[in-house]
Amino acid sequence: MTIALMLIGMFALALLNVPIAVALGIVATAAILVIQGPASLPNMALVMFDGASSFPLLAIPLFILAGAIMNVSSISRRLIAFTSACFGFVRGGLSMVTIGASMFFAEISGSAVAGVAALGTILIPAMRSRGYSKEFAAAISSSSASLAIIIPPSIPMILYAVMAQTSVVKMFVAGILPGILGAIGLAVAAYIQAVRYNFPVEEKFQLSRVWRTLKEAAWAFMLPVIILGGIFGGFVTATEGAGLAVAAALVIGGLIYRDLNLRDLRKACIDGAVQTAVVMLLVASSALIGTFLTEAKLPQALAQSITGFTSNPYVILLLLNVFFLILGMFLHSAAAIILTVPIVMPMITAVGIDPIHFGLVLTLNLAIGQQTPPVASVLIASCAIAKSDIWETTKVNLPFILALLVVLLLCSYVPWISLVLVHLFYGSTG
Amino acid sequence: MSLKSIRVAFERLLEAIALVLMVSLTALVIAGATFRYLGNALSWYDELASIGLVWLTYYGSALAALRGAHIGVTGVVNAMPAKARVIVAVFAEAMVFLFFGMLAYYGVQVLLVLQGEYMISLPEVPTQLTQSAIPVGAVLFMIAEALRLPEIMRAARGEGFVDLEIKEALELGAHDGKSKAAGGLQ
């Protein structure tokens, strides 16, 4: 009963535009007062501290910072030049370049909005000048940027792994194949449209050009090798890998390419701190609610009532997919993870779904959620750069969303895709 | 001093704190990883870094509040007539002050209880210092929210609330778009 009241209160407050972190905090504090009495109220300050104190979550500000540094250096421009030399000869070459460059960018940055900001500001004007419509330019930039949260490292994956108490590194490994599949799916959808609208070819394929641009971007390509190699090889933890990413981006952008300036760096640090704080305040106040969820055994009750109805993991995955796709239209990905993962986890384990597999399915859902308005951070950023209407762009974006949906279904029902590399590298997912 | 100049000064202060915290946390993690790799692990590094994240959370949250960056659901409120929106906005702000007011108050009470306790791995550092981020952060949050109040009420009376991400992306489109596109594809 209390829990039902708490949930209703939470939703009511959130819908009235009370910041979600505050809505969680107010409801939880009221519950402390009613259930445990006023003497327990000081606990809220302790829980708000402990909830934010986490070593694994420290990877979040560091990966945000690494992405922001890449953003202000010439690293992203070099990535684009190389992918252009590789894929520019295909019909609709610039859309292929967008997908390819987004994939490389995703290996260093964990944030899709950072990807749009870095690549979209260059590629959208380029596509416009080659005769692509502004809606198409915005749509392809937006959907390929969502690869950033599927391909490791990924901020939503870090959040999920911490909330679900599973391994951040194994989540990262699980994202590799689905990320590649996602890129292929987008490329197929882009090619079909390119033929239909007769988009231009960029340049003839020249091995010499590929070689030259590869040499110019060689240091930029060292970044993912160092970071992912370090993390997957077990030399550093995910958090240390994130620290390494910042150091490497600083050395390559600052000492080798020499195109970082202090003003940009200062802004990158401050904006990174704000983005981190927004996510972490939610994490902290969800810890307040978490104590009640545990005591009321709500997640267990939910697990029981659903498994009484069906214990088929495929049916449950389908239901969850529908639920998360709808949720993704209205909620930012960080908020969706923080609010739902503690509640659905016992159900996932009860029906025997691997937590790593589920984490990946959830991440794919959130990647699509970033594309579905009205709340669609990546799409909105991309439309703002292209100066296109959000709903018109969404129409053009539908084939790309469909491609991502196909990948989502594949990954939901073929757990092998997400788990094979994890088994290969680590022997087990546990 | 006008309200505007107070706000600018306050923003500078919070930005400076955020900058220092971000830089020192990054340096700490890199140093910690290096020392561990060299076989000379720093015993206090995990604990200090985790506390650093809490500080970044609360000092950064105050700055985020000043910028209006905290995640909320604007759709329903924006669909309301302006009069209703003003009432709802007053209510929502009251909730924010209520929560952070309590956090500040009980945060101070916790500090009093923690008298004489110290960090586990760094026994020189009193827990009162590490935990101070909660009440101090909560007070800074309320100051930030108060400074942004006129802006919030103006948005409530006018066209409704705009997501910060949209605002930032629009700025990106306006400035970076031109400068980067100029140097864009060679």
Side-chain angles (χ1 to χ4, degrees):
Chain A
M1 184 58 204
T2 336
I3 281 287
L5 276 178
M6 284 173 72
L7 288 179
I8 294 170
M10 237 164 66
F11 277 111
L13 289 177
L15 287 178
L16 292 176
N17 200 20
V18 175
I20 296 178
V22 174
L24 291 177
I26 288 275
V27 169
T29 312
I32 295 178
L33 182 65
V34 173
I35 299 172
Q36 302 172 341
S40 300
L41 278 175
N43 278 342
M44 71 173 279
L46 282 172
V47 176
M48 288 293 284
F49 186 94
D50 292 339
S53 159
S54 152
F55 189 72
L57 287 178
L58 194 53
I60 293 179
L62 297 176
F63 275 126
I64 290 179
L65 187 59
I69 293 172
M70 298 252 309
N71 227 337
V72 293
S73 77
S74 66
I75 295 175
S76 43
R77 193 178 48 74
R78 289 166 198 263
L79 289 178
I80 291 173
F82 173 70
T83 37
S84 177
C86 290
F87 306 115
F89 70 95
V90 186
R91 173 123 339 254
L94 273 180
S95 42
M96 303 297 159
V97 172
T98 306
I99 298 167
S102 298
M103 259 182 91
F104 287 120
F105 197 83
E107 282 157 37
I108 309 151
S109 152
S111 148
V113 179
V116 168
L119 303 174
T121 43
I122 302 171
L123 284 167
I124 290 175
M127 280 191 263
R128 293 287 290 130
S129 68
R130 300 285 285 145
Y132 294 67
S133 73
K134 60 184 180 198
E135 286 80 16
F136 183 90
I140 184 70
S141 301
S142 169
S143 5
S144 11
S146 64
L147 294 174
I149 68 169
I150 308 168
I151 295 176
S154 148
I155 288 160
M157 281 184 187
I158 299 170
L159 261 183
Y160 170 81
V162 171
M163 303 296 285
Q165 292 169 350
T166 175
S167 149
V168 176
V169 175
K170 286 175 185 171
M171 274 308 300
F172 281 2
V173 173
I176 298 174
L177 281 185
I180 295 172
L181 273 181
I184 294 173
L186 290 176
V188 170
Y191 185 74
I192 295 172
Q193 306 226 58
V195 173
R196 205 168 125 206
Y197 297 111
N198 200 21
F199 285 146
V201 170
E202 290 315 306
E203 54 205 301
K204 278 221 182 84
F205 185 80
Q206 285 176 318
L207 210 56
S208 62
R209 227 182 99 88
V210 173
W211 179 239
R212 184 171 57 79
T213 51
L214 177 64
K215 268 197 302 194
E216 279 169 7
W219 282 105
F221 283 114
M222 285 303 289
L223 274 172
V225 174
I226 297 170
I227 298 160
L228 297 183
I231 296 176
F232 294 159
F235 300 108
V236 291
T237 62
T239 302
E240 291 170 352
L244 199 63
V246 177
L250 277 177
V251 169
I252 293 171
L255 297 180
I256 299 176
Y257 293 155
R258 293 177 176 277
D259 43 19
L260 288 175
N261 65 55
L262 280 176
R263 216 182 110 251
D264 288 340
L265 278 181
R266 177 181 172 279
K267 187 176 179 318
C269 284
I270 293 169
D271 290 352
V274 168
Q275 286 171 33
T276 307
V278 167
V279 173
M280 288 302 299
L281 188 66
L282 261 174
V283 173
S285 62
S286 76
L288 276 177
I289 291 273
T291 36
F292 288 99
L293 285 182
T294 325
E295 274 170 26
K297 297 202 164 53
L298 172 79
Q300 286 75 11
L302 180 79
Q304 268 181 0
S305 62
I306 300 263
T307 46
F309 160 65
T310 173
S311 58
N312 183 338
Y314 293 102
V315 177
I316 289 182
L317 275 178
L318 182 70
L319 291 175
L320 285 172
N321 276 334
V322 173
F323 172 68
F324 281 117
L325 286 175
I326 296 173
L327 199 67
M329 292 180 194
F330 301 100
L331 217 53
H332 288 259
S333 53
I337 292 176
I338 293 161
L339 292 177
T340 58
V341 168
I343 298 176
V344 298
M345 241 22 235
M347 176 171 76
I348 299 297
T349 39
V351 296
I353 299 171
D354 192 301
I356 300 279
H357 174 218
F358 173 66
L360 196 97
V361 170
L362 175 62
T363 309
L364 279 165
N365 270 300
L366 298 175
I368 297 171
Q370 293 177 327
Q371 306 297 326
T372 47
V375 179
S377 49
V378 179
L379 177 76
I380 288 167
S382 184
C383 287
I385 296 167
K387 300 192 177 60
S388 65
D389 178 75
I390 291 167
W391 297 99
E392 288 300 316
T393 306
T394 299
K395 278 187 211 158
V396 184
N397 203 11
L398 282 178
F400 300 120
I401 295 178
L402 188 70
L404 290 175
L405 274 175
V406 171
V407 176
L408 168 64
L409 283 180
L410 262 177
C411 292
S412 298
Y413 296 115
V414 189
W416 183 86
I417 300 172
S418 17
L419 299 180
V420 61
L421 288 182
V422 183
H423 286 299
L424 194 68
F425 283 14
Y426 302 104
S428 79
T429 54
Chain B
M1 274 208 295
S2 71
L3 192 65
K4 199 172 175 192
S5 61
I6 294 175
R7 185 181 164 155
V8 170
F10 188 64
E11 182 159 21
R12 285 283 139 77
L13 171 71
L14 290 181
E15 283 181 353
I17 298 173
L19 182 66
V20 169
L21 285 174
M22 195 77 175
V23 171
S24 17
L25 259 181
T26 312
L28 177 63
V29 170
I30 295 172
T34 316
F35 274 97
R36 197 171 58 83
Y37 187 74
L38 297 175
N40 198 356
L42 305 169
S43 59
W44 42 267
Y45 136 72
D46 300 34
E47 194 187 1
L48 189 64
S50 307
I51 291 168
L53 183 60
V54 180
W55 282 49
L56 188 67
T57 301
Y58 288 98
Y59 287 97
S61 277
L63 182 56
L66 194 64
R67 293 184 177 184
H70 285 288
I71 303 174
V73 182
T74 51
V76 178
V77 183
N78 281 348
M80 292 177 179
K83 265 189 189 151
R85 197 158 53 219
V86 171
I87 298 169
V88 170
V90 170
F91 171 76
E93 288 311 303
M95 289 293 123
V96 171
F97 282 101
L98 175 64
F99 180 67
F100 282 97
M102 286 192 297
L103 196 57
Y105 178 75
Y106 292 115
V108 171
Q109 290 213 331
V110 165
L111 285 193
L112 299 178
V113 175
L114 287 174
Q115 174 84 43
E117 290 193 28
Y118 296 89
M119 264 176 74
I120 299 163
S121 59
L122 278 176
E124 304 82 24
V125 181
T127 319
Q128 280 186 329
L129 175 66
T130 59
Q131 289 270 351
S132 69
I134 297 283
V136 175
V139 168
L140 291 175
F141 196 111
M142 287 188 282
I143 298 173
E145 197 71 20
L147 287 170
R148 211 172 62 90
L149 263 183
E151 195 182 310
I152 296 170
M153 296 321 294
R154 214 177 311 129
R157 276 193 302 270
E159 296 287 299
F161 301 101
V162 184
D163 206 36
L164 183 83
E165 248 171 2
I166 306 179
K167 240 190 279 174
E168 281 184 347
L170 278 172
E171 284 165 20
L172 262 179
H175 303 298
D176 275 32
K178 273 175 216 152
S179 59
K180 275 199 189 168
L185 285 169
Q186 346 100 300

